[in-house]
Amino acid sequence: MPVLPIRIMGDPVLHSPAALVDEITDEIRQLVADMYETMDAAPGVGLAAPQVGVPLRIYVYTYQDDDGAPWRGEILNPVLWMKPAEPGAPDPDEESEGCLSFPGERFPLRRSDEVLVTGMDVEGRPVHIEVDGWRARIMQHEFDHLDGVLYIDRLSDSDWKTTQKIARKRGWGRPGQAWTPGVDDIDA
């Protein structure tokens, strides 16, 4: 399975809503397999199809809980419900996240602590996930990608301005830019 190039923040596919998966084909199954390979090589805890240049509503995820128990899967055509986030500023130590499409940086972001996600897996079986904590954060982060939203779009004004300075310095604001895990070095 190949490791796919990950699109950087200026690529238009990252800023547009993704289309529903109409049919699960061998090409879709291969895409999902390649996305797992890419996510693991990066390494990351989630990867959405738009991040690898495919404008479809698919994401994969992986995480280990505090006890080391694995949690891994894919969701096609997800629907997300969430409790409102607690008001207030995010805790930079507990609520910071990063993104493979804005590599090497982390910023605090308040998210809902509980979510429900439904959809289907790559075999067409129903998926129903109710999670909290970091798992909820992963679900929200990857779901945002399917709507053309990067986590940096949700940051406070001062942090958003910092991301724009970083992007200009690294030349990341142009369409077509990507990096391949295990192949390219990212200036971070």
Side-chain angles (χ1 to χ4, degrees):
M1 292 182 285
V3 172
L4 303 170
I6 297 174
R7 305 300 169 111
I8 302 291
M9 69 165 284
D11 197 295
V13 73
L14 294 173
H15 304 285
S16 301
L20 291 170
V21 176
D22 292 327
E23 180 182 2
I24 301 173
T25 62
D26 288 342
E27 290 80 17
I28 294 294
R29 286 183 192 91
Q30 185 61 54
L31 170 63
V32 169
D34 292 346
M35 288 172 61
Y36 278 118
E37 185 86 11
T38 302
M39 175 182 62
D40 293 342
V45 295
L47 185 67
Q51 291 181 275
V52 295
V54 179
L56 291 174
R57 298 188 76 77
I58 303 171
Y59 64 81
V60 298
Y61 58 89
T62 188
Y63 187 72
Q64 285 191 351
D65 65 18
D66 292 338
D67 298 324
W71 180 65
R72 187 173 176 90
E74 73 272 347
I75 304 178
L76 287 67
N77 299 336
V79 176
L80 173 75
W81 290 272
M82 61 187 153
K83 287 189 174 181
E86 292 291 325
D91 179 334
D93 295 325
E94 298 293 325
E95 296 177 284
S96 289
E97 63 187 70
C99 183
L100 298 176
S101 292
F102 197 83
E105 303 296 332
R106 295 183 67 78
F107 290 93
L109 178 62
R110 176 66 44 99
R111 295 237 191 222
S112 174
D113 195 50
E114 294 181 54
V115 301
L116 165 64
V117 182
T118 61
M120 63 183 157
D121 69 13
V122 77
E123 298 305 324
R125 295 178 297 237
V127 172
H128 179 101
I129 299 171
E130 291 183 61
V131 290
D132 60 9
W134 275 101
R135 292 177 183 190
R137 179 175 295 276
I138 293 166
M139 294 288 112
Q140 292 167 84
H141 181 109
E142 299 311 324
F143 188 87
D144 272 354
H145 280 297
L146 305 182
D147 287 337
V149 177
L150 295 176
Y151 92 103
I152 60 174
D153 298 330
R154 296 190 180 279
L155 297 176
S156 69
D157 287 344
S158 63
D159 285 339
W160 186 86
K161 288 176 185 173
T162 301
T163 68
Q164 300 312 297
K165 289 177 187 176
I166 292 166
R168 278 193 302 277
K169 179 180 175 187
R170 297 181 182 159
W172 289 352
R174 296 184 304 273
Q177 294 182 308
W179 67 281
T180 304
V183 176
D184 298 324
D185 290 329
I186 293 295
D187 296 329

